[in-house]
Amino acid sequence: MTVVYLDSLFLLNFILDYLLLLATAKAADCPFSRLRLALGALVGAGYAAGCFLWTFLALPPVKLCAALLMVLAAFWGERRLLRLCLIFLALSCALGGGILAVSLLGGAGLSLENGIPATGMDVKVLLLSAAGCYVLLTLASRRMGRHSQAAGDLVDVTLELEGRKVALTALIDTGHTLTDPVNHRPVAVAEAEALRGLLPAGVRLTQQDLREPVIGLERLMALWEPKRFRLLPYRAVGVDCGMLLALRVDRITIGGREQKGGLVALSPGPVSDGGGYHILLNSN
């Protein structure tokens, strides 16, 4: 029988829950705040400790509610909460299965008590074990979050402007809902760096233009046709009302289907963790 110390139990579950939430965010290609992830991990670690004080907390319905509270604490405001919950539950099951396998194979010090990861190991071994769990969770999350053209979520996109063209790989993102407030047409979001080939000589986007789009719009309108650039309002996690600089292109071809005109919002940074795509499309 494993002797469980509440301080070790709390620390172990805090580390594992933080890594689970981090892996969930990466698998879903979701923006995240490390402080919010830590808050979610605190909820999970507190719940784990509580299970050894009040046994009714170990009941499956209560476990499910605790898992949902962790996801809400870490990702509240994110549009893809259901997807995040499902990924988190899948990774949690994978981790639990891994711990059970280790204990059945004779792994010392790490086991499931009341369905909660518990340990009798010292802090050094605990941290090394957590590092190993992180590697496994990262591999699992990358596998779960991998997009492919065969699956239908990656498509080829060509943007054209005054005869200049750029070809990109796009992700059809169900959580991407940015639209033009004037005509309510969907707006793609692309990495600004990937669109430099569309701009004429003498017109160059800077990071300051993208970080301060109001000032950037004024500068760019003085350099080129005023109709080419405009501002788009948006909302995201931690941003109640932000602005993105957007470029109006002449033609967008998506998977061989061509449409005339359209706005492409410019992202200051990458839209993909792994660089497998450079533009996000609305799924509608």
Side-chain angles (χ1 to χ4, degrees):
M1 179 178 178
T2 303
V3 177
V4 177
Y5 297 95
L6 281 182
D7 54 351
S8 296
L9 177 80
F10 185 90
L11 178 59
L12 172 65
N13 281 272
F14 176 80
I15 294 172
L16 293 181
D17 289 338
Y18 181 88
L19 296 179
L20 278 169
L21 291 167
L22 178 60
T24 298
K26 290 185 175 182
D29 274 327
C30 170
F32 61 88
S33 161
R34 293 190 180 275
L35 186 61
R36 292 279 299 277
L37 294 185
L39 176 61
L42 278 174
V43 172
Y47 164 75
C51 284
F52 284 84
L53 300 176
W54 301 283
T55 53
F56 77 91
L57 291 177
L59 294 173
V62 184
K63 284 184 181 179
L64 179 60
C65 290
L68 296 179
L69 281 175
M70 290 171 60
V71 175
L72 289 176
F75 303 109
W76 179 256
E78 171 60 37
R79 299 176 191 275
R80 295 171 288 181
L81 272 176
L82 178 58
R83 182 184 180 190
L84 287 164
C85 287
L86 294 175
I87 292 175
F88 178 76
L89 291 173
L91 288 175
S92 298
C93 291
L95 177 63
I99 293 174
L100 181 60
V102 169
S103 63
L104 290 176
L105 290 173
L110 189 61
S111 63
L112 292 176
E113 300 288 338
N114 293 333
I116 302 297
T119 181
M121 299 182 291
D122 62 31
V123 175
K124 289 182 180 179
V125 179
L126 175 59
L127 293 177
L128 287 174
S129 300
C133 289
Y134 176 69
V135 172
L136 293 175
L137 287 172
T138 299
L139 292 174
S141 66
R142 285 179 180 174
R143 183 72 178 176
M144 293 175 64
R146 187 173 296 165
H147 303 287
S148 68
Q149 290 185 328
D153 49 6
L154 292 184
V155 294
D156 294 324
V157 172
T158 301
L159 305 176
E160 185 174 349
L161 178 55
E162 296 180 351
R164 296 177 292 273
K165 296 181 180 181
V166 294
L168 303 172
T169 300
L171 171 69
I172 300 176
D173 185 3
T174 56
H176 171 52
T177 58
L178 185 63
T179 57
D180 186 342
V182 176
N183 54 28
H184 304 292
R185 291 178 61 182
V187 175
V189 178
E191 298 171 12
E193 184 66 28
L195 301 189
R196 291 188 183 277
L198 289 178
L199 304 179
V203 178
R204 188 173 64 89
L205 285 168
T206 68
Q207 279 298 312
Q208 184 175 2
D209 292 332
L210 300 170
R211 288 194 302 266
E212 302 177 16
V214 177
I215 298 174
L217 177 65
E218 184 178 355
R219 187 185 76 84
L220 292 165
M221 288 177 67
L223 294 175
W224 198 18
E225 301 175 43
K227 68 176 183 178
R228 287 300 181 186
F229 289 99
R230 58 170 291 190
L231 295 176
L232 279 178
Y234 77 98
R235 295 182 64 185
V237 177
V239 181
D240 289 331
C241 185
M243 288 288 178
L244 284 174
L245 198 60
L247 174 66
R248 187 177 299 279
V249 299
D250 296 332
R251 190 171 289 102
I252 303 176
T253 304
I254 303 173
R257 190 180 75 255
E258 183 180 295
Q259 67 179 53
K260 291 186 177 180
L263 284 174
V264 180
L266 306 176
S267 170
V271 297
S272 164
D273 279 342
Y277 50 89
H278 302 281
I279 183 169
L280 300 177
L281 300 178
N282 194 307
S283 59
N284 297 326

